[in-house]
Amino acid sequence: MAIYLWLQTKLILMEYAIMRTVTQKSYLSRIVKTLNYIQTNLDHELTLEELAKEANFSPFHFHRIFSGMLGESVKELVRRLKLERAAIELQTTSMSILQISINAGYESDMAFSRVFKSKVGILPSEFRRTEHARFPCSSKACIRYVTSGHISSFEPLQIKECKMNVMIKDINTMKVAYVSHQGPYQECGHAWDKLCSSLATEGLLGGDAKMLGVSYDDPDVIPAEDLRYDACITVPNDFQVIDDIKVQTISGGQYAVTTHIGSYNNLSDTYRKFFGQWLPQSDYESDDKPCFEVYLNDPESTEPEDLVTDIYMPIINVSQQSPAVKENSND
Amino acid sequence: MTKIDLFKLNKSDYIAAKSPVLIDIKEAIYLVINGKGAPGKEAFNDAVSALYAMAYTIKMTRKKQNKGDYVICKLEARYWSESALPLNQIAQEQWKWQLMIRTPEHVENTDIDQAAQALLSKGKTASVGNVSLGKHHFGPCIQMLHIGAFEEETRTIDQMYTFAATQKLSPSGEHCEIYISDPRRVPPERLKTILRSPITPT
């Protein structure tokens, strides 16, 4: 009997491990597919929607998964691949340096030369003359421009270092009062002031009221002035709209939750690790809705290094047949 | 308009030294709530929640009324009991406490009443009605930073009392604590708490 149970447990665990490898492979192959799409379309403006569709990830989370696994954003990758292509063109074609500069996305050969020198150490003209000169590989994931036109694999960032404490939580749908902010995340204070002062007079602060932030954009890829953010406070269901405070619901369901300790300015490091490393190794897929943050202390009276923020990532189980094991940490 | 931060403006009152220091704290205004029961248990947590709800409601309401802005100070607590025995020899359920948040002088009783009414109308804890505005004068005190679990405070307190004795001083009055870290989040071994004890010459 004992042996039977042991075997059964072992089998479940094996199944679990196999599934996990399958998930990870799926993330890898989807990113590889996107990489090839990017390389093929280096000269076209790529939209978030088309990239996310190519990789079959939610547009809400595509950028974070991508840069988290690769160590560079799409924009940085495109800029780098173009430079690598330019290096190849310098050595294998007789195209003018100005033309190569324009192909690489620069307005002038001077701007191109300056950037090129900062990466390679020598000017494009010298590079062209030096047969053995090579463009150095600066990609953490070892992705290079390939002339054959097909990238077959890459090395995702440091997976063994991923020791994040992650809880899987089922949460109820929450009604929140909110004020939107557009601009650098650091400047969202005015939205909070407006929201808190309107709710305070109504007696809606304190008790169970939670303070949530919904950030719709990844600050690594979106210009600071375009970042969209909602400052939200949970309110009772019978909440009546006051002043020009708006109301929305944060949809319930399964969320992966990790805690960020420290300055809000470093939140994106935790996001990158959460999406780029924890997620691909988990048995989950990010769901097609935004993440949110729950702030657990007061930034006015707390030293930045002591700030505590829970990050909620909406998830769905990759496979319905997955064993009902709830993981608390991923190591 | 500048934001008043009493914690920083009165830095000398909140010295968090690794060895005992003598300080003298002037009269100040606090939002207070009194109660009885073990710290971290139901009655205590309810009082903490009521005090913070009031503190933020008052602050943000005044801000909306253009009456100035200020930072909510750290939570302070004074502990005592009806017995003559030292607190650590008494069951925590018997502990009495006053929870305090230092507050700017311009906050008025009408602010308190308004805030309590607003919160009660939204069904927040009835304890908000027990929060009041009070003056307190600590006077001469001995103070020291304790790092670690609350249960291990004795070692820090012993050090404070030993130091007091060498200065020909003795503790008088309620033991006070100022919570620098958030006990819900910070692991016990990293908790920072300022311990404070009023003193008189022996």
Side-chain angles (χ1 to χ4, degrees), chain B residues 93-198:
Chain B
E93 290 70 33
Q94 301 303 313
W95 288 13
K96 292 192 163 188
W97 30 259
Q98 177 169 65
L99 307 180
M100 320 160 77
I101 292 179
R102 199 159 173 168
T103 302
E105 287 172 350
H106 51 252
V107 170
E108 296 162 310
N109 277 319
T110 48
D111 295 323
I112 309 278
D113 298 342
Q114 262 180 27
Q117 265 175 29
L119 287 164
L120 288 170
S121 78
K122 288 300 185 305
K124 305 277 175 178
T125 172
S127 303
V128 294
N130 301 330
V131 175
S132 62
L133 208 50
K135 282 183 186 161
H136 184 67
H137 185 194
F138 277 99
C141 290
I142 184 168
Q143 184 164 304
M144 182 175 162
L145 175 69
H146 171 75
I147 300 178
F150 298 133
E151 294 74 31
E152 291 165 14
E153 279 179 11
T154 318
R155 69 176 149 85
T156 307
I157 294 174
D158 286 349
Q159 214 177 322
M160 286 163 66
Y161 287 5
T162 310
F163 173 78
T166 65
Q167 304 290 309
K168 300 207 163 34
L169 299 165
S170 63
S172 63
E174 299 80 21
H175 166 76
C176 174
E177 305 190 341
I178 298 137
Y179 302 101
I180 305 297
S181 8
D182 185 343
R184 293 163 305 172
R185 283 287 163 173
V186 177
E189 67 276 12
R190 282 180 50 200
L191 278 177
K192 286 185 186 169
T193 312
I194 295 175
L195 305 186
R196 177 189 284 173
S197 173

Side-chain angles (χ1 to χ4, degrees), chain A residues 193 196-198 200-209 243 259 296-298 300-303 308 310, chain B residues 3 5 8 49 53 56-57 59-61 63-64 69-72 74 118-119 121-122 124 182 184-185 190:
Chain A
D193 279 350
C196 288
S197 50
S198 290
T201 49
E202 298 292 311
L204 287 166
L205 294 187
D208 304 331
D243 299 340
T259 303
L296 296 152
N297 38 20
D298 176 359
E300 269 185 6
S301 62
T302 309
E303 293 300 324
V308 184
D310 280 344
Chain B
K3 208 173 266 190
D5 188 342
K8 288 193 174 136
S49 169
Y56 281 100
T57 301
K59 166 193 155 94
M60 293 315 297
T61 305
K63 188 169 180 177
K64 196 181 185 191
D69 195 8
Y70 56 92
V71 173
I72 301 291
K74 297 287 182 194
L119 287 164
S121 78
K122 288 300 185 305
K124 305 277 175 178
D182 185 343
R184 293 163 305 172
R185 283 287 163 173
R190 282 180 50 200

Side-chain angles (χ1 to χ4, degrees), chain A residues 26-45:
Chain A
S26 140
Y27 275 86
L28 287 177
S29 61
R30 284 146 81 186
I31 292 286
V32 165
K33 192 167 173 237
T34 319
L35 286 172
N36 282 301
Y37 186 78
I38 292 171
Q39 176 167 293
T40 317
N41 295 288
L42 260 193
D43 299 312
H44 304 133
E45 194 70 41

